Amino acid sequence: SSGINAEYGGAMQLIQDVHKYSATVKRFKDPFVDELFEALNKLCNLLVVPPDQLIEFWNLGSLAHIEHGFLVQFVKLRADYRKNNIQSKLPSFGTHVRA
């Protein structure tokens, strides 16, 4: 682990920044870029959703297309990852939904 974690306030700032960038790139009217920013926004939300709602967000549309190991590493950035035993709330590799 890099020792970096996402405190709630920092994660909320990241979400706001991604939202602003997303609004800017929408002017390009490129569906692929819009989809990438949608996925990035959902990734960022994994840092702030309550632990008991992680599974619900985990399997949302564009996140379902992201490699399981990457999602696990991203969720490990949460400041509360160890404190709230988040690992036990994550789906195992075999249950990750791919649409």
Side-chain angles (χ1 to χ4, degrees), residues 11 53 95:
Q53 294 179 13
T95 61

Side-chain angles (χ1 to χ4, degrees), residues 17-61:
D17 291 349
V18 167
H19 181 71
K20 288 177 186 175
Y21 283 122
S22 178
T24 299
V25 299
K26 280 191 186 301
R27 290 188 263 166
F28 299 132
K29 299 183 190 310
D30 184 327
F32 178 70
V33 173
D34 292 344
E35 186 178 328
L36 289 174
F37 270 92
E38 178 186 338
L40 181 57
N41 186 38
K42 289 179 181 172
L43 270 173
C44 294
N45 278 305
L46 286 175
L47 299 174
V48 298
V49 297
D52 61 336
Q53 294 179 13
L54 270 171
I55 298 299
E56 182 180 329
F57 274 80
W58 186 278
N59 290 315
L60 282 177

Side-chain angles (χ1 to χ4, degrees), residues 80-93:
D80 65 344
Y81 182 77
R82 285 200 171 107
K83 182 177 98 175
N84 288 328
N85 194 22
I86 289 180
Q87 181 178 359
S88 69
K89 296 168 178 55
L90 299 179
S92 65
F93 180 71

Side-chain angles (χ1 to χ4, degrees), residues 43 46 58 63-77 81 90-94 96 98:
L43 270 173
L46 286 175
W58 186 278
L63 288 183
H65 299 287
I66 297 175
E67 196 268 325
H68 177 44
F70 178 81
L71 289 176
V72 169
Q73 292 303 313
F74 197 83
V75 170
K76 283 182 177 181
L77 295 173
Y81 182 77
L90 299 179
S92 65
F93 180 71
H96 184 67
R98 292 208 189 271

